[in-house]
Amino acid sequence: MKIIFMGSPEFAIPSLKMLHTQPDCNLIAVYTQPPKPKGRGLELQPTPVEIYAREHNIPVYSPKNFKDQEDINFFKSLNADLVIVAAYGLILPKDILYTPKYGAINIHSSLLPRWRGAAPIHHAILAGDPSTGVTIMQMDEGLDTGDIILKSEHLIIDDKTSFKDLHDILAKLGSELTLKVVNKILNNENLIFEKQDNSKATYASKINKELHKINWQNPAHLVVRQINALSENGCYITINNENIKIFKAHLGPQVNSEPGIILDADFNISCGDFTSINPLILQRAGKNPVNLKQFLNGFKNWSPGIKLS
């Protein structure tokens, strides 16, 4: 079976590796986002998917979008049987979705119709969902609105679940479910398609900078959720005009204080509803993330009683 894989970030890698190593899968091309400037030097960095594909001599294509008919015509000329999409990052027109014999399937990191959209893992943690999972979906022209082919639930989300923890679990689960669907197609088994209940759909919007700012009026369990959900880049606080990032925290003691106060030498910070958090991993600008003890050894511009801005 001739397969085109479309994906960009680390989430897509387990599925790409799986397809690449399956003897009955002929991975004829990989489509991924063009390289983007990153880091202090703003050097162009290829996506993880591109890096893997080039290391294994898989042809790579990175159209800016699919508005150019030449790109669509070239895609059609590849004559793929199936397209598999995992966090590609581009809207696919119907000429791409419906040209392959078996159409296009999507590996989506939520239990659809819960959390359609760009950031389902983040929003599952932010919302305090008790579980999430992966859905394999037959793609249509809507935003994650296609029929469900297969899905599997992952139960454990709690106040210790970070984005990376959940991301890695779901990426592996996605590759396992994709293999099941591919094998069904290869064995000429009928796929069962389930319509989504649109009335139960929620939308996982992109993560913007504002979401990384902690609102100390929120109770501590919500602040910890926020830090966990955004732990790839950290949430920031401001102490005496210096921005500090928090990457990990746990619940602190009950307190009798207004929100946003550094309470004591242990760096407990008061939140709403007379609760508090205790940061565990922090980072100053231009420094590496460190544990709380190392942070306090190097950061002297504070004292108990300071109110955070």
Side-chain angles (χ1 to χ4, degrees):
M1 184 163 60
K2 294 194 296 183
I3 295 174
I4 293 174
F5 185 84
M6 294 179 158
S8 296
E10 285 291 339
F11 178 81
I13 294 297
S15 296
L16 176 57
K17 286 182 178 179
M18 178 275 294
L19 293 167
H20 179 235
T21 56
Q22 292 302 307
D24 292 330
C25 294
N26 179 11
L27 198 56
I28 59 173
V30 159
Y31 277 73
T32 191
Q33 289 274 331
K36 295 180 180 178
K38 288 185 179 179
R40 293 180 182 177
L42 296 179
E43 295 182 4
L44 290 177
Q45 298 291 326
T47 68
V49 163
E50 179 175 347
I51 292 170
Y52 180 90
R54 293 199 183 283
E55 286 175 351
H56 294 87
N57 299 313
I58 306 167
V60 177
Y61 305 100
S62 299
K64 185 176 181 181
N65 51 50
F66 283 99
K67 294 180 180 179
D68 190 328
Q69 190 61 41
E70 286 188 14
D71 290 326
I72 293 174
N73 291 341
F74 177 77
F75 175 89
K76 289 181 176 181
S77 74
L78 295 173
N79 197 29
D81 296 309
L82 177 67
V83 170
I84 297 176
V85 180
Y88 179 29
L90 288 183
I91 300 297
L92 300 180
K94 62 182 180 180
D95 283 339
I96 302 296
L97 295 174
Y98 304 132
T99 293
K101 179 179 179 181
Y102 299 105
I105 65 172
N106 179 250
I107 308 164
H108 186 75
S109 53
S110 81
L111 296 173
L112 290 171
R114 181 72 166 163
W115 300 127
R116 295 173 178 172
I121 300 175
H122 301 85
H123 282 276
I125 299 173
L126 281 169
D129 289 357
S131 66
T132 188
V134 173
T135 302
I136 308 299
M137 171 193 68
Q138 186 79 46
M139 295 181 71
D140 61 17
E141 294 172 69
L143 179 64
D144 300 326
T145 56
D147 293 349
I148 294 166
I149 302 172
L150 199 62
K151 62 182 176 181
S152 182
E153 185 175 21
H154 174 69
L155 288 171
I156 304 170
I157 300 181
D158 57 26
D159 62 8
K160 294 184 176 65
T161 304
S162 72
F163 172 85
K164 188 178 188 315
D165 295 335
L166 197 52
H167 170 281
D168 292 353
I169 289 168
L170 297 184
K172 182 176 183 295
L173 182 58
S175 70
E176 294 167 356
L177 292 185
T178 302
L179 179 58
K180 289 182 180 180
V181 172
V182 167
N183 282 335
K184 283 180 178 289
I185 296 172
L186 287 168
N187 295 326
N188 294 314
E189 297 178 32
N190 288 329
L191 297 178
I192 298 173
F193 297 93
E194 174 192 346
K195 294 288 183 186
Q196 293 191 44
D197 184 348
N198 292 328
S199 69
K200 295 181 179 178
T202 53
Y203 180 65
S205 59
K206 289 183 179 180
I207 301 301
N208 57 40
K209 184 177 180 181
E210 190 60 31
L211 276 174
H212 289 267
K213 176 69 173 176
I214 294 175
N215 180 355
W216 298 107
Q217 301 297 325
N218 288 330
H221 73 278
L222 294 184
V223 174
V224 169
R225 274 187 208 167
Q226 180 185 7
I227 293 168
N228 286 339
L230 306 176
S231 54
E232 339 141 71
N233 297 310
C235 292
Y236 67 93
I237 61 177
T238 304
I239 304 175
N240 289 331
N241 297 317
E242 181 176 351
N243 285 340
I244 308 291
K245 287 186 175 181
I246 302 178
F247 290 90
K248 185 177 181 181
H250 62 195
L251 297 175
Q254 290 288 117
V255 298
N256 185 17
S257 171
E258 65 174 304
I261 303 295
I262 300 177
L263 296 164
D264 50 36
D266 293 325
F267 214 72
N268 287 301
I269 304 172
S270 58
C271 303
D273 292 346
F274 304 104
T275 57
S276 70
I277 68 161
N278 186 232
L280 300 175
I281 305 293
L282 305 96
Q283 181 184 28
R284 299 179 69 184
K287 306 287 186 179
N288 293 323
V290 293
N291 64 37
L292 178 61
K293 182 178 179 181
Q294 292 169 315
F295 173 79
L296 293 179
N297 283 340
F299 182 61
K300 305 301 181 182
N301 190 24
W302 76 283
S303 61
I306 284 179
K307 185 173 177 61
L308 302 178
S309 56

